[in-house]
Amino acid sequence: MEHVPPPAEELALLDRELAQLDARRAQLLTRRAWLVAALQPKAPDAPRWSTPPLGHGWAPAQPWGAVPKAAKPSAPRSAQNVLLTLGGLLLTVAAVAFTLVSWGSMGIGGRAAVLALVTVAALAAPALLLRRKLAATAEAVAALALVLTLLDAYAIHAVATPDADGLTFTAIASAVLAALWAAYGLALGKLHLPLPAAVFFVQWPLLLGAWAAGAPALVVGWALLATAVVDGAIALWGKGLGVRVTAGIGLVVMGSAALLTGLGESLTADSPLGAVLPGLLLLTAAVAALAGAWRAPSGYAQLGGAVAGLAAVAAVGGVLRAAVPGAWHVPVYLLCGLALLSVVRARLPRTAGRGVLLASGAVVAGSLVWALPGVAAVLLGPVQLVAEVWAGAPDGFRGALGEAMAWSELAAAPLVLAVVAGGLGAAYRRWPTLVRLAAPLAAPGVKARDAAGAGALALGWGAVLLAAATLGVPYPVAVALETVLVAGLLAVAVLGAGGREAGSGAADAAAAGVGATGAAGSGSGGAAGGSEPYAGTAGVGVGAGGAAGRGGPSAVAVTALVLAVGGAVSLGLLSLAAEAATYAVLGALTVLFAGAALRTRPVVEQAVLAVAAVVWGTALTGCVAGSLGLAPHEAAPLLLVVPAVTVLLGARLRNHPVALPVELAGGLGALVAIGLAAPRAPYLALVLALCGVLAAGAAVRPERRPVAGYLAAVLFVTATWVRLAASEVSAPEAYTLPVTVPALVIGALRRRKDPEASSWTAYGPGLGATLLPSLAVAWGDPDWPRPLLLGVAALVITLLGAKYRLQAPLLLGGAVLALVTLHELAPYVVQVAGALPRWLPPALAGLLLLAVGATYEQRLRDARKLKDMLGRMR
């Protein structure tokens, strides 16, 4: 009997079979469509048919493909636009020519009839064209109609009202054209040109009307502001990108002109009453900008808030400015800018509030830009004392700084710096409270707190210095004050170098807890037009843990260190006016920086402080030489006292990271000593020998031996040469051979004890002590015995170096032998070169280059072999 499945199972089987049949049918239809497309005629340069994709045929991996959709023939838009543009331009040119040239040959009735007829036809044609869906043609005709309306206005003024004032007529015509094109654009909503044209015409009626009436600058400013307000409304609520862009450009231009007009009138006002009207204009602009920022998108809202804040500061500050002396104008504006910080308690959209905060920051930055040149003058003014060292203490601090600065005009600059420093210091100390207050508008992090602390320290330091200069304190008081400031900065640097100050972790943790309410209510309070919701309860999320666990110095400590170094340099220059002040200041700086280097922990800061202490010690030693009345070359050996101390200190520190910077700083002092002794050869030889002793002392330590050992050898040999040259010795071998022989014996013993020792260490100093001075003398010796003997000796040394595979004898001997040979053969080479034709040397050089180029790879391999061979030598 045939098995009959249950109905449910049979239904499932039928569904599967039908699904397979549908899939198969779809494959067959797809294949058929592809074959039909492949058989259609193609262009001559097109392939016969394209390869169908794999994996969709009736056999595995058999080519299949979907029928390529025939591309719809696209209209030649570019050609159409070119034709329409050219047609519109030709018609425009014709209309202009008709108006300007042929206008006078017709009567008044004919002129009016022709222009009216053509204009009405041009205005009516786009409506008909739009019904036939010819949008591009309609735009071209609308552009022609726009030009015709302008020509109509010109014609009316030239014929109908020739005696009318040009500005007045232009203002009225602009208003009429704006209304006409606004209505026309609203009536034909599919055209893109009329409404932007109407916005353009809106810019002129009020401005030109005020100008034509001879109104004062403030009235012109009000006209500009009213136009800018209209532009802002169009930019917010207008339809179409062209309308909004045109209105936005008008808003920027007209609004900027209105603000500049109000600002100029406010700055030139002679009394507070005279600054009220410009201030009213600026306040109105601020209100308008803030109202626009309330509804504008994010970026524009922030810009609007910034403009509103700046305009408000200019308005209120202008009235207050007129009531105070000229030196106090900037502090007035600064206080108004700081008052903008109260926006954190206002219910403003977040982006607009941020803009107001940016305006406050801009005012503060501008105030600092005005005040900081005075601080720079205080720091750099003592440079002039370098030309007159120890000429006597000046009458006061200003006398040491010079009279180039108008200090009376900077009387309020210290107050500006102090106010900003106090604000930043308060923010640094009460950071959790500040974060809680700023939560609706901003989310300041730990880096902002560090910046606030560093800024407060720097500006407070500058305020004290500038106050001393503006008050004209006596010279000793200024020196003592700057010394105390440097000591205080070093104390701050030392205390903060080990990590963040006490309480930083608690402050960061408290800041991290601010904003636990999140952004509740962010879904309400929004406004149309893309404005942001109120952020009155928006929270701030500072990373958990803050930076309490971070190691390393804080930004305040780094700033204190930088200020201490800069202030110490300025103080050192200031002390050059009097001898006693120089010794007191340089001694104090040496002690302060050395003590700070001993107390601080981070390596970088410790190295900077130690190097600075070495520099001040070197300068103090130079002052001692100056007090003793020593000439510069006589003072050079005395300057080596500090390098000697650094060598001993380096041996004491051994592998401490600060040891190397300290020794390098001492090395710079040694270079200064060498430079001072250079004009006198005997003193130069002495200084070089003493430097060699110091380098040899450093080479005793294994970690310094690879560099200090070679340096000591070079210094000793150079000192010997200089001494021989200073004594005008004509036979240096009598002095160098007694040094060379024991040096070579010691080198041989060293090599026997340590076969891996370098030949440069063992034999280099001994060979160089004789070969190089002899070469220098032989180069100018006209006789033959010395070059011959030196050449033979160099040849023997070269052969010994090659035999025993020693790098130093081979290279030194070979170099000396080559130079001696060149010196002896040079006259003959010159004679031969003079006898040869002039074309022969270039030809030989060319052949040599060709030969080298042809065998370049082989020469490169030979050079590598030579390098490897020399590298294997000791």
Side-chain angles (χ1 to χ4, degrees), residues 342-373:
S342 60
V343 73
V344 297
R345 294 183 176 275
R347 292 178 57 83
L348 288 179
R350 170 170 286 197
T351 50
R354 286 178 180 174
V356 177
L357 291 180
L358 288 177
S360 176
V363 174
V364 172
S367 303
L368 294 179
V369 168
W370 173 78
L372 288 179

Side-chain angles (χ1 to χ4, degrees), residues 786-816:
R786 184 187 302 276
L788 177 61
L789 294 176
L790 181 60
V792 171
L795 177 61
V796 172
I797 292 172
T798 303
L799 295 176
L800 291 175
K803 179 180 180 180
Y804 293 103
R805 305 180 64 82
L806 298 175
Q807 193 178 100
L810 177 63
L811 295 181
L812 282 175
V816 172

Side-chain angles (χ1 to χ4, degrees), residues 455-764:
L457 181 64
L459 295 178
W461 170 72
V464 175
L465 289 179
L466 193 54
T470 53
L471 293 175
V473 299
Y475 175 75
V477 175
V479 172
L481 177 63
E482 290 203 30
T483 305
V484 172
L485 288 177
V486 171
L489 290 172
L490 289 176
V492 174
V494 171
L495 293 176
R500 294 196 171 265
E501 289 79 5
S504 173
D508 293 334
V514 176
T517 57
S522 61
S524 61
S531 66
E532 294 189 5
Y534 291 116
T537 56
V540 178
V542 180
R550 293 193 308 182
S554 65
V556 176
V558 174
T559 303
L561 178 59
V562 173
L563 295 178
V565 174
V569 173
S570 178
L571 176 59
L573 294 174
L574 182 65
S575 68
L576 295 179
E579 184 176 2
T582 303
Y583 278 106
V585 167
L586 293 181
L589 291 178
T590 303
V591 173
L592 287 174
F593 278 87
L598 293 175
R599 295 297 301 273
T600 193
R601 287 178 292 174
V603 173
V604 176
E605 286 72 11
Q606 192 176 30
V608 171
L609 292 169
V611 168
V614 172
V615 172
W616 302 132
T618 304
L620 185 61
T621 306
C623 292
V624 173
S627 298
L628 295 177
L630 300 178
H633 61 276
E634 296 173 339
L638 185 60
L639 290 180
L640 296 179
V641 173
V642 175
V645 174
T646 59
V647 171
L648 297 176
L649 186 60
R652 175 74 175 177
L653 296 175
R654 292 188 178 275
N655 294 325
H656 195 280
V658 179
L660 181 59
V662 169
E663 292 180 81
L664 291 177
L668 292 178
L671 287 177
V672 173
I674 293 173
L676 293 176
R680 298 294 182 92
Y683 282 93
L684 178 60
L686 174 62
V687 171
L688 288 173
L690 293 176
C691 291
V693 172
L694 295 179
V700 173
R701 296 155 53 197
E703 65 274 10
R704 298 285 185 264
R705 188 170 301 155
V707 176
Y710 291 112
L711 181 60
V714 171
L715 289 172
F716 281 132
V717 172
T718 306
T720 303
W721 298 343
V722 173
R723 180 68 262 181
L724 294 176
S727 302
E728 299 181 354
V729 173
S730 59
E733 294 82 4
Y735 299 90
T736 58
L737 283 176
V739 177
T740 296
V741 173
L744 293 178
V745 172
I746 293 174
L749 295 176
R750 168 74 185 279
R751 288 275 299 172
R752 179 177 297 180
K753 183 178 180 181
D754 183 12
E756 298 298 326
S758 172
S759 62
W760 289 100
T761 304
Y763 304 117

Side-chain angles (χ1 to χ4, degrees), residues 226-239 243-244 247-248 251 288 292:
T227 305
V229 171
V230 174
D231 288 330
I234 296 173
L236 285 175
W237 293 295
K239 297 181 179 180
V243 173
R244 293 194 173 195
L251 171 62

